[in-house]
């Protein structure tokens, strides 16, 4: 019974994400079937849903030979259970008899799926014995076709393929340590590897169980996401604006360097996360939190430095949030370059002459990275302050000819894809 409940919960998570266009984190909050599970059943349900989302396009290609209609035409519970069954067999190596019997049982016990149980049984019995089409599907078919074209246009065929292969692996957990001086010691105690510019890496798992969580000694932040704030080169006491700050990963880095930090975000809900994160890490007093649109916000003083982590398509974080490839479409991401350019131009007016702006986006799409920076350099009173190989350290191979960073799998260890440019106000 509990084995089939975990299959039903995994399928429910897929319906919440793919049909109702929510993130997997939101789905796990909302799904009552998932919420009712405990212990290993809950962990297995999450693992099945996560594996299915991570390789969704390949799974659909793998199932296609056993279906006489496109999978999209199946009713949502049947479609979701098919994908859950395939993910168990082809990715999680669940024994064939358990895949078929427990996934079909899940359908029989689920009113909305009951009528599809015979169909599921027939398809899954074939699928567990034949993964040929799944194995033959190219890595880039983890994404919908339109996104593969987008990523190939920005990164080339090999670059996009490398990103897709990375998405198929379960990512580790990266931590940023509040007090850099304790990083080495903490790394030893929790058995972490040092990666990037001072991040610690542990296997993914229960975050709150890692030593130092409650004391606020560290926070979760991908090794590439930790770079932008490091490039600000802040002196203690300087005024730094963190525009687009929530949930506050980079705000904490800036505050931990002793800067007078103003964290601006237009989402009051997301600013609550900033507040919680600052409280937990004992950095709350160093930061003023402002709910405002950074395009029109007019503070009393100019900043010594600004970090602008602009809203973006977030396709550089698909290995952590693979559902992003399926719940966003071309129309959802079309507006970003204009918004990013407006925010960058606004930032140029908020920093002192000679002051630094670090612009970053967690996407490898050229039109949200290099193209936005090129447009701002034309008429926003900014010049590039190229990032040096010494500053980039293990990310040096990610430096562009112009001195920006585009962090991709080429750096030799897995991390998110970010575009980062450092600019200076000229007058
Ligand atoms: C990529 S996230 C920022 C992540 C954050 N810097 C961190 O490291 O944790 C982008 C943020 O921009 C905010 N945002 C989008 N448009 C904005 C605007 N016009 N003004 C201020 N914040 C904005 C969103 O609410 C979102 O929280």
């Amino acid at each position: 019974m509990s084995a089939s409940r975990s299959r039903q919960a995994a399928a429910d998570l897929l319906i919440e994400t793919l049909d109702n266009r929510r993130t997997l984190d939101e789905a796990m909050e909302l799904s009552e079937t998932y919420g009712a599970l405990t212990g290993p059943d809950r962990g297995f349900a999450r693992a099945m849903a996560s594996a299915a989302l991570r390789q969704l396009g390949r799974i659909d290609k793998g199932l296609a030979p056993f279906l006489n209609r496109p999978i999209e035409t199946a009713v949502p519970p049947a479609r979701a259970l098919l994908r859950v069954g395939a993910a168990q067999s082809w990715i999680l190596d669940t024994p064939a008899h358990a895949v078929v019997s427990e996934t079909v049982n899940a359908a029989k016990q689920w009113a909305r799926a009951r009528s599809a149980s015979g169909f599921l049984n027939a398809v899954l019995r074939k699928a567990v014995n034949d993964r040929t089409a799944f194995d033959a599907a190219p890595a880039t078919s983890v994404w919908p076709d339109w996104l593969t074209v987008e990523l190939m246009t920005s990164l080339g065929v090999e670059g996009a393929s490398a990103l897709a292969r990375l998405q198929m692996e379960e990512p580790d957990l990266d931590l940023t340590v509040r007090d850099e001086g304790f990083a080495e010691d903490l790394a030893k105690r929790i058995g972490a590897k040092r990666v990037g510019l001072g991040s610690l890496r542990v296997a993914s798992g229960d975050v709150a169980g890692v030593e130092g969580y409650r004391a606020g000694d560290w926070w979760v932040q991908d090794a590439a996401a930790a770079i932008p704030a490091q490039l600000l080169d802040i002196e203690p006491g300087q005024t730094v604006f963190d525009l687009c700050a929530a949930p506050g990963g980079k705000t904490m880095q800036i505050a931990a360097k002793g800067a007078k930090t103003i964290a601006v975000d237009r989402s009051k809900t997301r600013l609550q996360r900033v507040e919680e994160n600052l409280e937990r890490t004992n950095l709350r007093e160093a930061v003023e939190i402002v709910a405002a649109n950074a395009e029109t916000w007019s503070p009393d003083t100019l900043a010594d430095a600004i970090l602008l982590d602009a809203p973006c398509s977030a396709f550089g974080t698909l290995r952590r949030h693979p559902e992003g490839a399926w719940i966003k479409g071309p129309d959802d991401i079309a507006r970003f370059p204009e918004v990013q350019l407006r925010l960058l131009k606004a930032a140029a007016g908020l920093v002192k002459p000679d002051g630094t702006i670090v612009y970053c986006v967690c996407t490898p799409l050229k039109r949200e990275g290099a193209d936005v920076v090129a447009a701002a350099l034309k008429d926003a009173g900014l010049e590039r302050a190229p990032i040096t190989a010494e500053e980039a350290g293990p990310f040096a191979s990610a430096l562009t000819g112009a001195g920006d960073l585009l962090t991709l799998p080429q750096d030799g260890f897995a991390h998110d894809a970010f575009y980062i440019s450092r600019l200076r106000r000229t007058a």
Side-chain angles (χ1 to χ4, degrees):
M1 175 72 180
S2 77
S4 56
R5 290 292 284 178
S6 61
R7 271 75 176 184
Q8 184 186 341
D12 200 42
L13 293 177
L14 291 190
I15 293 172
E16 282 295 347
T17 47
L18 300 171
D19 296 281
N20 300 340
R21 288 165 60 111
R22 299 185 206 279
T23 65
L24 182 57
D25 287 341
E26 289 166 348
M28 289 189 297
E29 292 276 311
L30 282 167
S31 165
E32 289 177 11
T33 326
Y34 177 74
L37 296 178
T38 52
D41 288 339
R42 193 178 168 92
F44 189 44
R46 183 193 176 137
M48 287 184 275
S50 171
L53 291 170
R54 200 166 280 295
Q55 302 206 37
L56 191 76
R58 291 188 80 215
I59 286 177
D60 287 358
K61 284 203 161 41
L63 286 168
F66 314 122
L67 304 172
N68 49 22
R69 291 182 292 143
I71 192 166
E72 288 305 332
T73 61
V75 291
R79 188 164 66 215
L81 282 170
L82 272 181
R83 287 165 167 166
V84 165
Q88 289 168 68
S89 181
W90 298 336
I91 304 171
L92 300 176
D93 292 329
T94 309
H97 65 272
V99 171
V100 179
S101 64
E102 297 305 344
T103 311
V104 172
N105 278 344
K108 287 182 181 159
Q109 287 153 18
W110 188 1
R112 288 170 60 204
R114 198 165 295 142
S115 62
S117 57
F119 159 72
L120 274 169
N121 187 44
V123 175
L124 288 178
R125 284 166 77 98
K126 290 182 201 151
V128 293
N129 288 313
D130 185 357
R131 51 182 295 154
T132 317
F134 174 73
D135 287 337
T140 50
S141 57
V142 294
W143 303 313
D145 292 346
W146 73 269
L147 181 54
T148 301
V149 172
E150 283 280 359
L151 290 165
M152 282 185 177
T153 305
S154 284
L155 304 175
V157 174
E158 190 33 52
S161 300
L163 204 63
R165 285 194 296 274
L166 198 65
Q167 179 179 316
M168 291 193 230
E169 292 164 24
E170 191 69 39
D172 290 322
L173 196 64
D174 291 351
L175 315 177
T176 296
V177 183
R178 185 188 54 209
D179 197 334
E180 174 57 23
F182 293 138
E184 201 58 54
D185 185 43
L186 182 64
K188 282 196 193 114
R189 289 208 309 273
I190 63 175
K193 232 180 11 186
R194 304 287 313 259
V195 293
L197 300 175
S199 300
L200 303 195
R201 176 160 291 183
V202 291
S204 68
D206 171 28
V207 175
V210 180
E211 181 185 328
Y213 175 79
R214 265 168 246 294
D217 294 342
W218 50 261
W219 53 91
V220 174
Q221 186 175 46
D222 181 82
I227 306 170
Q230 308 253 27
L231 295 172
L232 276 174
D233 198 16
I234 304 160
E235 301 289 334
Q238 283 190 323
T239 298
V240 178
F241 298 161
D242 182 8
L243 305 181
C244 303
K250 301 178 186 71
T251 315
M252 290 184 277
Q253 284 179 285
I254 297 167
K257 285 176 190 268
K260 275 197 272 172
T261 312
I262 305 189
V264 182
D265 201 285
R266 72 169 180 196
S267 163
K268 286 197 177 134
T269 322
R270 286 172 62 85
L271 279 174
Q272 276 168 10
R273 300 262 317 276
V274 179
E275 182 119 28
E276 286 159 16
N277 280 327
L278 290 169
E279 293 286 356
R280 185 177 67 80
T281 52
N282 300 312
L283 291 165
R284 179 66 189 88
E285 277 179 19
V287 181
E288 185 185 335
I289 295 179
V290 176
N293 180 345
E295 286 183 36
T296 50
W297 178 56
S298 76
D300 298 335
T301 49
L302 295 180
D304 293 294
I306 290 182
L307 184 79
L308 172 58
D309 185 10
C312 70
S313 57
F315 292 144
T317 63
L318 289 175
R319 67 198 195 103
R320 299 193 186 279
H321 306 288
E323 68 277 13
W326 301 94
I327 63 180
K328 284 178 230 167
D331 293 348
D332 301 308
I333 64 161
R335 67 190 173 91
F336 283 123
E338 267 176 40
V339 173
Q340 290 151 349
L341 183 58
R342 285 204 306 270
L343 280 162
L344 187 47
K345 287 186 171 179
L350 298 178
V351 72
K352 290 177 185 168
D354 251 3
T356 303
I357 298 176
V358 170
Y359 169 81
C360 64
V361 278
C362 55
T363 180
L365 292 189
K366 184 169 167 283
R367 62 167 181 271
E368 298 183 57
D371 292 355
V372 170
V373 172
L377 285 172
K378 277 190 196 148
D379 62 359
L382 296 170
E383 65 184 9
R384 193 178 255 115
I387 300 160
T388 65
E390 202 185 346
E391 289 174 296
F395 296 100
S397 59
L399 277 170
T400 67
D404 294 344
L405 280 172
L406 174 58
T407 68
L408 290 169
Q410 86 276 35
D411 307 314
F413 63 101
H415 49 70
D416 291 349
F418 266 74
Y419 192 84
I420 307 165
S421 180
R422 186 170 55 194
L423 306 161
R424 183 162 293 131
R425 181 167 169 182
T426 48

